[in-house]
Amino acid sequence: MKLKFFILTIILLFARGCDFYSTSLWFFDNPTGETNPLYRFFGVGWTGLIISNIIIVGLIIYAFYFYSFKYKTKKQTSSKNLTDFVSELYFNEKGKFFQIFYKTPKNKSTLLAHTGYVLVRVVIVASFLATFHNICQYYNVTFYNTFRELVGRPLYVIYGLILFTFIYFSYRLWMKEYRLTIDSNIGAM
């Protein structure tokens, strides 16, 4: 677990650095094309973007540290399916799975740990997608221009891939913990 934490943290920092490099290609020449909401809606400059990213990445690393070294998977469950198990993880009772999407869970430590596990991976993917997009656009790469003409607005494709990544890693984590819990329940019998 220590090695995975270290490797993913280094990849996260590298990915964010790549995103900052590719953003800086545009930002200093013509920042009006910047899509970051902090700049676009609130007028936060380069220093503000760096500070906010340091804070956000620091929080993600902390949550991932919590998942990697402090969090313990639930050992017992009476759930017969994944949605009831996830409901038990977050709310201590079955039948509340959909509340995950609009209500703060009772088990804050589970939320913190799962947020760290998922976000470290999602932010890595999102950062590399943004880097690829920015560099291809800045250097006027032919195949990417063709792709842009085909899809019209590549940011929608990028946002869709980020959402898919979030859903995929959430589901993967839930299934992993569900299987571990079921296996420990079978082993205890």
Side-chain angles (χ1 to χ4, degrees), residues 21-89:
Y21 167 73
S22 67
T23 299
S24 72
L25 294 173
W26 293 100
F27 197 85
F28 295 115
D29 292 339
N30 183 14
T32 56
E34 176 58 36
T35 59
N36 189 312
L38 290 174
Y39 174 77
R40 189 176 224 173
F41 300 117
F42 302 111
V44 174
W46 189 246
T47 304
L49 292 176
I50 290 173
I51 291 170
S52 66
N53 268 274
I54 288 170
I55 292 168
I56 290 168
V57 169
L59 291 171
I60 291 170
I61 291 170
Y62 171 74
F64 185 51
Y65 173 85
F66 182 81
Y67 171 80
S68 299
F69 300 108
K70 305 284 186 194
Y71 175 71
K72 301 292 182 220
T73 304
K74 187 175 177 140
K75 298 293 182 198
Q76 296 292 326
T77 186
S78 60
S79 300
K80 301 293 183 210
N81 61 48
L82 180 63
T83 56
D84 281 343
F85 174 74
V86 173
S87 180
E88 278 187 289
L89 273 177

Side-chain angles (χ1 to χ4, degrees), residues 98-110:
F98 289 106
Q99 289 185 11
I100 291 169
F101 303 109
Y102 63 89
K103 195 171 183 182
T104 305
K106 289 181 182 174
N107 294 332
K108 307 285 191 292
S109 62
T110 300

Side-chain angles (χ1 to χ4, degrees), residues 153-167:
R153 187 98 171 123
L155 287 180
Y156 296 141
V157 174
I158 292 170
Y159 295 151
L161 289 171
I162 292 169
L163 178 62
F164 172 77
T165 304
F166 181 83
I167 293 167

